[in-house]
Amino acid sequence: MRSKMKAILLVLASIMIMAGCSSNTANNGGSAAPASNEPAAAENGGAASTDEKVELTFYYPVAVGGPLTQIIEQMAADFTKENPNITVKPVYTGSYDDTMIKTQASVQGKTPPDVAVLLSTELYTLLDMDAIVPLDDMIAADGGDEYINDFYPGFMANSQTGGQTWGIPFQRSTIVLYYNKEAFKAAGLDPEKAPQTWDELADYAKKLTKDGQWGLEIPTTGFQYWMFQTFALQNGKNLMSDDGKQVFFNTPENVEALTFWRDLSAVHKAMPEGSIEWATVPSDFIEGKTAMMYHTTGNLTNVKNNAQFDFGVSILPASKQHGTPTGGGNFYIFKGTSEAKQQAAWKFIKFMTEPERMAQWSIDTGYVAPRESAYETEKMKAYTAEFPQALVARDQLQYASAELSTHNNGKVVKAFNDSLQSVLTGGADPAAALQKAQEEADKVLAPFNK
């Protein structure tokens, strides 16, 4: 009797197990459900199951001219079309500063974006906020060294710290010199030869200045620290330590560099005095109000599409050496979101940084394609053969260094910008202004040097 009862119980148990499996299969479109509540792993090394519906909030800024919002939104729509279970909601959040403020508020309110493009220089601030996740495991599972080593080292300098990778380069740039070849001809200058030294820059700018046209414009608002960093790198060394805990503002080389920048307007009268707005400089160049300008390569396509004259693009003039900081934004993935969302965000980043897509992004915007392989694509080869100016910023990367980035970066940069502004628009003494900036920055960074 006992043996019959055991047999009956075994049959009943088998039926219940089969019914449970059948129910799971029906609820999951014909595939068995995972045993836990964690997202199912796909074959691509840990990515979330494509069966799970995910919606990503994506913050992005715009800092240059041109139809970037339409381009970004189209790229996000293309991603969703290829990945119908992942919906990306692009949220235009204004300037880089606006985007960072909105991101900080969202993180503090425990509603962070899932993925965002923020300045690469915000890395230490984001780490101090404990806001972002390291990407090394995702990289190792999906592309590994072949993927990450394809990015230019100059851009990775602001993307890695402490032996980990925290950001993926996207809309990255360097500062380049734009010049009006027709204005050069009119001034008796060789239109195929941009100034190569500081002395030549001042000389050319004076020769190009006439009624209705300045010889040169360098923005003194918005990113004045970035513009000054070109002069610092060309005349000495970078402005900060690799760990973001120290700055080197008040050096003799930097005093000389700041004096040179100031004298372009105050002494040589080849540049407007007072504030020169970041956003209006490209318009002034396009409209012929200035014959040369320092600006981001991210404005290259804007200038190409709108300038009614032949123009050139050159690496920046040198003092003791050539030099430029890198610039622009990285992708970051945020904490406080589900594993499924983080994996979907990584898939989105991989999509956005594919070589073909990076090549098209560079063509459409003027930003430097941050991956070497993007320049090996047929579309990029064809474009740069027709428009070689697009290669200048990439070629200048051999002289590029990390952009100014420290812990508590916002306060450090503000102190520095204010001091630079006091010299460029208020007549303050360069040495005294840089000393003041150094002292204020040292106080801000003191807690990180205990």
Side-chain angles (χ1 to χ4, degrees):
M1 185 68 181
R2 286 182 179 178
S3 61
K4 286 182 179 181
M5 185 59 70
K6 284 182 179 180
I8 292 169
L9 290 172
L10 285 170
V11 171
L12 288 171
S14 298
I15 292 170
M16 290 174 69
I17 290 170
M18 290 175 67
C21 289
S22 176
S23 175
N24 282 340
T25 302
N27 289 335
N28 288 276
S31 61
S36 71
N37 291 325
E38 292 298 314
E43 291 182 359
N44 66 352
S49 168
T50 54
D51 291 334
E52 183 171 355
K53 296 284 187 181
V54 175
E55 184 175 279
L56 298 178
T57 299
F58 168 40
Y59 287 1
Y60 73 95
V62 172
V64 298
L68 262 69
T69 52
Q70 297 96 308
I71 295 170
I72 290 283
E73 288 174 5
Q74 185 60 56
M75 292 170 80
D78 291 343
F79 173 79
T80 295
K81 186 176 180 181
E82 284 191 19
N83 302 272
N85 291 302
I86 306 174
T87 301
V88 177
K89 290 178 59 180
V91 180
Y92 166 58
T93 40
S95 67
Y96 277 120
D97 285 345
D98 294 336
T99 302
M100 186 60 182
I101 290 168
K102 186 174 178 63
T103 298
Q104 287 175 308
S106 299
V107 169
Q108 290 166 358
K110 302 192 183 304
T111 56
D114 300 298
V115 59
V117 171
L118 295 163
L119 283 173
S120 63
T121 56
E122 300 289 8
L123 174 58
Y124 292 110
T125 299
L126 291 167
L127 290 176
D128 293 341
M129 292 165 57
D130 193 28
I132 54 175
V133 300
L135 305 176
D136 304 272
D137 289 346
M138 297 179 194
I139 293 167
D142 190 14
D145 289 344
E146 184 178 355
Y147 173 73
I148 204 65
N149 291 342
D150 191 37
F151 289 86
Y152 286 102
F155 293 141
M156 293 309 299
N158 280 116
S159 307
Q160 297 172 318
T161 190
Q164 292 183 291
T165 300
W166 300 91
I168 299 296
F170 178 55
Q171 53 188 57
R172 299 303 303 271
S173 60
T174 67
I175 301 166
V176 293
L177 173 70
Y178 297 82
Y179 65 98
N180 183 328
K181 291 186 176 182
E182 293 176 12
F184 269 47
K185 289 179 185 177
L189 298 169
D190 183 349
E192 303 305 323
K193 183 180 180 296
Q196 297 298 303
T197 66
W198 286 7
D199 286 343
E200 284 188 356
L201 179 67
D203 181 54
Y204 282 31
K206 287 187 288 186
K207 290 178 178 177
L208 289 161
T209 299
K210 62 182 184 179
D211 287 344
Q213 174 186 282
W214 289 104
L216 172 66
E217 287 188 9
I218 300 173
T220 60
T221 69
F223 295 96
Q224 55 265 54
Y225 77 88
W226 195 42
M227 291 292 147
F228 176 73
Q229 201 173 354
T230 66
F231 297 115
L233 288 166
Q234 291 155 14
N235 204 45
K237 64 178 184 179
N238 213 339
L239 295 172
M240 73 291 177
S241 61
D242 291 339
D243 61 5
K245 295 180 180 181
Q246 291 180 287
V247 294
F248 315 112
F249 294 159
N250 62 337
T251 66
E253 292 82 6
N254 286 346
V255 172
E256 183 180 14
L258 184 52
T259 301
F260 172 75
W261 186 5
R262 179 202 63 186
D263 287 353
L264 288 169
S265 58
V267 175
H268 301 303
K269 307 297 182 182
M271 197 166 71
E273 294 191 62
S275 293
I276 303 175
E277 297 293 331
W278 167 267
T280 61
V281 170
S283 299
D284 285 352
F285 182 73
I286 289 167
E287 294 168 11
K289 294 178 181 178
T290 183
M292 297 187 290
M293 71 169 179
Y294 275 33
H295 222 277
T296 170
T297 184
N299 255 312
L300 179 60
T301 300
N302 177 39
V303 173
K304 176 178 181 287
N305 291 342
N306 293 292
Q308 301 299 309
F309 51 83
D310 191 13
F311 71 94
V313 180
S314 173
I315 64 173
L316 297 175
S319 177
K320 296 175 181 175
Q321 64 262 336
H322 288 289
T324 180
T326 58
N330 284 348
F331 278 112
Y332 299 97
I333 296 177
F334 285 78
K335 290 185 175 181
T337 64
S338 69
E339 174 70 14
K341 285 195 168 194
Q342 291 178 6
Q343 293 291 348
W346 171 246
K347 192 169 188 178
F348 177 59
I349 291 172
K350 284 293 297 294
F351 172 90
M352 294 289 275
T353 57
E354 288 173 356
E356 288 282 343
R357 196 159 284 107
M358 284 280 83
Q360 190 62 54
W361 166 254
S362 180
I363 292 167
D364 289 343
T365 65
Y367 280 112
V368 183
R371 296 184 66 173
E372 294 184 38
S373 57
Y375 289 90
E376 298 303 318
T377 62
E378 291 305 315
K379 67 174 62 175
M380 184 63 93
K381 287 180 180 179
Y383 180 69
T384 54
E386 177 187 344
F387 185 57
Q389 293 96 318
L391 290 173
V392 172
R394 183 209 63 174
D395 294 345
Q396 192 176 222
L397 287 173
Q398 64 183 303
Y399 307 117
S401 300
E403 186 177 357
L404 175 61
S405 179
T406 68
H407 291 277
N408 218 334
N409 198 59
K411 289 185 177 180
V412 171
V413 167
K414 184 180 185 308
F416 195 38
N417 275 345
D418 288 348
S419 290
L420 293 173
Q421 193 79 350
S422 71
V423 174
L424 298 170
T425 66
D429 175 67
L434 290 174
Q435 179 62 31
K436 181 180 178 182
Q438 183 72 48
E439 291 172 356
E440 292 184 16
D442 286 346
K443 289 178 184 177
V444 170
L445 293 172
F448 303 96
N449 287 289
K450 292 180 178 178

